[in-house]
Amino acid sequence: MSRARVIVLNSALGPLDYRVPRGMTVEPGSIVVAPLGPRQLIGVVWESERLPTEEIGDNRLRNLLAVADAPPIPAPLRRLVEWTANYYLAPLASVLRMALSSTSALEGGKTIVEYRATGEVPSRMTAQREQALERIGDRQGLIRELATIADVSDGVIRGLVKVGAIRGVTVALDTPYPAPDPAFGPPELSDAQTDAATTLRTAVRDGEFQPFLLDGVTGSGKTEVYFEAVAEAIRAGRQTLVMLPEIALTEPFLKRFHARFGVEPVAWHSGLRQSQRRRAWRAIANGEALVTVGARSSLFLPYPNLGLIVVDEAHETSFKQEEGVHYHARDVAVMRGHFEGCPVVLASATPAIETRQQVALGRYTELKLPGRYGVAEMPAIEAIDLLADPPMRGRWLAPKLVRAIDATLERKEQVLLFLNRRGYAPLTLCRTCGHRFQCPNCTAWMVEHRLINRLACHHCGHTIPTPRACPECDSEDSLVACGPGVERIADEVAALFPDAKTAIVTSDTIWSPAKAAEFVARMEAGDIDIVVGTQLVTKGYHFPNLTLVGVVDADLGLEGGDLRAAERSFQQICQVAGRAGRGEKPGHVLIQTHSPKAPVMRALVSGDAEGFYAAETEARREAGAPPFGRFAAIIVSSEDKDAALDTARLIGRSAPQVEAMQVFGPAPAPLAMLRGRHRFRLLVHARRALDVQDVIRDWLGALDWPAKVRVVVDVDPYNFL
């Protein structure tokens, strides 16, 4: 071809035409370097017939500069990029950027110098140097990466290199990954597992698109079942993607995978160093990486020979991207399977109503695992009515739960206390004047974190040292913490059980796979008696000696106006309850609630999941809510409140009159300010059959608003803040 249509990685630009110079060969999918003014941008050659644009004469075209030393983006991935951009109303370049998420991988094989601590202590030790060495520990990376880890400047790291406290290490970037062995550690499966595994293996051999729901209670052995499908794909020489909702779940998964296949899979998540991301991307793009496990971003990697996709914990809301392109990885994974022509397995103990509806319509095939594997039994679940059996004044654990913890510790067994709230307390106020500490950038309270002696905003990350005096009235020692977080519960546990070894497990303490591995090792060694944790501990972990789970505040997830609040609470508590009694010892779950007669609490105690889901599904059907209707949120934000409000009102006034569609708003968002930007929301509610994307595209495309105003469309929103 003498000319090429290119999508460059600039979201403000559409497709651009370039001349292909003599001696250069490109094809659709080729990754190229294209000039744009004085700059050079990465881009991908696209089929010109799929992206019509204004034709420009050959004499006005600029030459492409280079073709990257990397395989072309495969056609199925290009179709997925188009579909995602169209469905979620996102720029094509923004979606494509996720496929090219390691620009260093576009260069040929080479080595790089990374740095790590030597163990030597510099003769001149400053506070920043001490902080850097402590936080870096055994980690290795580029100077910029180590500076980020240590929260210091590049100069501090370079200074430590000069004095010998940190030294360079040459790293080969394209070392091949060892191949997994499908015959390494075959498991013993139950009859139900064998039936499900046989179905999945057949689907992999057939090599056709087919979505499955693998629905099994916690501890039923879903992982072992889909591992058999992974083994079948390995035998066929095809690639597998396994997606997990949390980076912290990667490490336990890697151990289980190693036990089954003899090696670890290729990992892909935000915690990788630049060199690790480069190595993984190239191995995936070359087809050498047979199994990849990763977070939602791994979905857009350029697998040339994909034979199986698994979405584990498929009900998890963290699969919905809330920044940039607002896609849902569970749904996009199904579409990737469609374009690739391969089976997709959605594994969950508590499938989302949207997924259950697809089964009801016959679009997904359901595979059920009704009981736990081996001798393990489902735990007994009991509600504690906090109105009838309240905690002592100043305490958060009811007497019945305290007695159960005491009895569990007497038996030398482990306890998990669950509260989905990080920090020590969600609100700090002055008892003298009533001042409440609010984030200056967000309409949110500052959360006290006593472990680090700071107040933090969980929305924008703003932190301040915990003050001794009230900034309004200058009263000292007048600040009081309101409500519990996990740190406060851990303090209460320490006071009640001073001899027990306690661990706090949140994203503040388990921020990397290495930290997750350390936690798992301590639990398995019996070095932890009581775990106090957030939703991070509700899934993926298997501790046979953990027999008691206490849910500190089961009502927390029911607050707010989220249409999925009851479903999320049911899923979350089911998942955390599933951590109890996973071995030979029976488990027991105590749920503290002020509303024991609420439908979700009754369903949890009775174990009537089908009845709960039937009632929730019918309520959604009557309201025309997803999956029976369509929602799309339009979020308008600006640092200038008046500009944001004027734009939101303009959008509201211009709303088209379309049958089977309603537009609500604009109204101030519940989180009316976020990261210094004032926010207003509109909500589009439409019938399922309406192509709401085309309506919104035409509606907003006809309007103009100031450059300082940002308008974001969130199709199928999960967050209504």
Side-chain angles (χ1 to χ4, degrees):
M1 54 172 58
S2 61
R3 60 190 291 158
R5 190 148 296 169
V6 177
I7 299 296
V8 295
L9 298 189
N10 184 323
S11 301
L13 300 175
L16 301 174
D17 284 352
Y18 287 91
R19 182 187 298 113
V20 181
R22 188 182 303 275
M24 179 185 291
T25 302
V26 299
E27 61 181 293
S30 292
I31 304 169
V32 296
V33 180
L36 186 69
R39 295 178 294 159
Q40 298 181 5
L41 296 180
I42 299 293
V44 174
V45 176
W46 222 263
E47 296 92 335
S48 56
E49 66 274 12
R50 301 188 69 89
L51 296 177
T53 188
E54 181 185 354
E55 290 287 340
I56 295 176
D58 289 353
N59 61 325
R60 296 176 57 194
L61 298 181
R62 298 182 68 180
N63 282 351
L64 289 173
L65 301 177
V67 180
D69 180 20
I73 299 297
L77 179 53
R78 299 200 300 277
R79 302 294 81 81
L80 182 75
V81 168
E82 292 170 351
W83 181 88
T84 304
N86 180 67
Y87 186 87
Y88 291 103
L89 298 174
L92 200 63
S94 296
V95 183
L96 182 60
R97 184 180 295 277
M98 295 189 288
L100 300 174
S101 49
S102 175
T103 53
S104 65
L106 305 181
E107 304 166 4
K110 60 178 183 179
T111 61
I112 194 171
V113 176
E114 294 185 334
Y115 295 84
R116 61 181 303 147
T118 62
E120 295 183 20
V121 178
S123 55
R124 190 175 70 84
M125 180 65 85
T126 65
Q128 283 201 312
R129 285 182 170 185
E130 184 176 6
Q131 174 180 311
L133 292 174
E134 179 183 344
R135 294 192 180 182
I136 289 169
D138 294 330
R139 283 184 275 194
Q140 179 175 309
L142 303 175
I143 284 179
R144 174 71 265 167
E145 291 170 335
L146 294 185
T148 301
I149 290 168
D151 195 20
V152 297
S153 68
D154 291 9
V156 173
I157 304 299
R158 295 186 190 280
L160 288 169
V161 172
K162 286 182 180 178
V163 299
I166 291 177
R167 65 179 174 85
V169 180
T170 301
V171 177
L173 290 177
D174 291 333
T175 306
Y177 289 93
D181 178 4
F184 181 80
E188 293 183 13
L189 301 178
S190 67
D191 291 343
Q193 285 178 307
T194 300
D195 291 344
T198 299
T199 301
L200 294 181
R201 280 196 298 262
T202 301
V204 172
R205 281 196 298 269
D206 291 345
E208 297 177 354
F209 169 62
Q210 188 174 0
F212 293 91
L213 168 60
L214 182 56
D215 181 1
V217 299
T218 54
S220 59
K222 295 183 292 295
T223 304
E224 285 69 26
V225 169
Y226 72 67
F227 271 178
E228 294 309 292
V230 173
E232 193 64 37
I234 294 170
R235 292 187 191 99
R238 302 195 69 185
Q239 293 173 291
T240 296
L241 166 63
V242 180
M243 287 200 300
L244 303 176
E246 302 277 359
I247 182 176
L249 291 181
T250 307
E251 196 66 26
F253 178 89
L254 296 182
K255 289 183 66 176
R256 297 176 75 175
F257 188 93
H258 190 284
R260 173 63 180 85
F261 296 103
V263 298
E264 291 189 352
V266 176
W268 184 270
H269 52 73
S270 59
L272 297 180
R273 307 193 307 271
Q274 178 181 307
S275 60
Q276 292 173 316
R277 293 176 73 84
R278 181 193 190 281
R279 180 189 177 203
W281 193 96
R282 289 186 69 85
I284 289 166
N286 290 324
E288 298 166 4
L290 287 180
V291 183
T292 301
V293 57
R296 58 178 177 254
S297 59
S298 60
L299 178 59
F300 288 92
L301 294 174
Y303 310 94
N305 189 22
L306 203 53
L308 174 67
I309 300 172
V310 178
V311 184
D312 206 348
E313 309 288 359
H315 62 278
E316 273 294 318
T317 56
S318 55
F319 279 123
K320 180 67 193 284
Q321 172 80 18
E322 298 292 352
E323 301 285 343
V325 182
H326 289 240
Y327 70 97
H328 198 304
R330 178 198 64 212
D331 301 338
V332 180
V334 174
M335 289 308 301
R336 177 136 203 194
H338 168 73
F339 290 121
E340 298 281 355
C342 72
V344 180
V345 179
L346 308 181
S348 175
T350 52
I353 289 175
E354 289 84 352
T355 305
R356 288 171 172 267
Q357 180 63 12
Q358 295 297 323
V359 171
L361 293 173
R363 295 172 182 166
Y364 294 3
T365 301
E366 185 176 33
L367 305 174
K368 289 190 77 72
L369 300 176
R372 282 189 160 178
Y373 178 77
V375 298
E377 298 289 340
M378 293 300 291
I381 301 179
E382 189 178 349
I384 298 176
D385 185 348
L386 292 178
L387 297 178
D389 185 20
M392 294 174 59
R393 185 175 179 83
R395 295 278 174 88
W396 307 97
L397 303 180
K400 184 171 184 176
L401 179 54
V402 173
R403 291 193 297 271
I405 295 171
D406 193 32
T408 304
L409 296 178
E410 282 288 324
R411 297 192 302 268
K412 306 296 183 186
E413 294 168 2
Q414 293 167 313
V415 177
L416 167 60
L417 297 178
F418 169 70
L419 176 64
N420 203 27
R421 185 183 277 152
R422 292 160 48 210
Y424 183 85
L427 172 64
T428 300
L429 58 79
C430 173
R431 63 163 63 93
T432 302
C433 71
H435 173 74
R436 301 180 177 194
F437 286 83
Q438 182 171 323
C439 175
N441 308 314
C442 309
T443 46
W445 307 121
M446 299 286 281
V447 178
E448 182 180 5
H449 287 252
R450 288 200 179 173
L451 290 179
I452 57 173
N453 194 34
R454 299 183 81 78
L455 300 180
C457 173
H458 288 175
H459 296 283
C460 72
H462 176 74
T463 63
I464 59 172
T466 305
R468 288 185 54 82
C470 173
E472 285 291 317
C473 67
D474 295 325
S475 296
E476 291 198 10
D477 300 322
S478 66
L479 303 182
V480 59
C482 299
V486 288
E487 294 176 16
R488 194 168 198 172
I489 300 301
D491 277 2
E492 183 173 339
V493 165
L496 290 168
F497 307 101
D499 296 329
K501 292 170 286 189
T502 304
I504 298 174
V505 178
T506 72
S507 57
D508 299 315
T509 59
I510 307 291
W511 65 79
S512 70
K515 282 288 182 183
E518 180 184 322
F519 163 64
V520 170
R522 290 186 63 200
M523 282 292 287
E524 291 177 345
D527 193 37
I528 298 173
D529 299 314
I530 302 175
V531 178
V532 184
T534 60
Q535 53 87 26
L536 206 61
V537 294
T538 63
K539 48 197 173 288
Y541 292 111
H542 176 77
F543 303 125
N545 199 42
L546 197 160
T547 59
L548 175 65
V549 168
V551 180
V552 177
D553 186 354
D555 307 325
L556 188 60
L558 296 173
E559 298 171 358
D562 183 0
L563 75 100
R564 297 180 177 89
E567 181 191 13
R568 286 184 184 179
S569 292
F570 183 84
Q571 291 169 333
Q572 198 167 68
I573 296 173
C574 273
Q575 290 287 332
V576 72
R579 298 315 103 196
R582 294 174 71 93
E584 296 181 359
K585 302 173 182 177
H588 193 197
V589 181
L590 294 175
I591 301 174
Q592 296 192 158
T593 175
H594 291 91
S595 307
K597 294 185 179 179
V600 63
M601 300 305 165
R602 290 205 305 264
L604 286 163
V605 172
S606 67
D608 184 17
E610 293 305 318
F612 170 77
Y613 275 112
E616 281 290 303
T617 301
E618 190 55 35
R620 298 259 194 103
R621 193 192 309 272
E622 290 178 5
F628 306 102
R630 305 285 307 277
F631 280 153
I634 301 175
I635 304 104
V636 182
S637 68
S638 175
E639 294 180 2
D640 182 336
K641 184 176 181 179
D642 290 338
L645 178 57
D646 289 346
T647 301
R649 285 174 172 168
L650 169 66
I651 294 172
R653 285 196 307 270
S654 308
Q657 299 299 311
V658 177
E659 186 181 356
M661 187 184 94
Q662 294 175 287
V663 179
F664 301 98
L671 197 58
M673 181 182 280
L674 178 64
R675 301 185 185 98
R677 300 181 69 87
H678 299 274
R679 304 169 73 245
F680 296 86
R681 295 180 68 105
L682 298 94
L683 182 66
V684 178
H685 183 198
R687 286 184 187 168
R688 191 78 201 167
L690 180 68
D691 189 345
V692 73
Q693 285 91 341
D694 272 355
V695 173
I696 294 174
R697 193 180 288 112
D698 294 342
W699 169 16
L700 298 184
L703 303 178
D704 291 310
W705 50 79
K708 60 185 174 182
V709 176
R710 184 183 303 153
V711 177
V712 174
V713 180
D714 184 1
V715 177
D716 301 337
Y718 272 60
N719 184 343
F720 292 86
L721 295 178

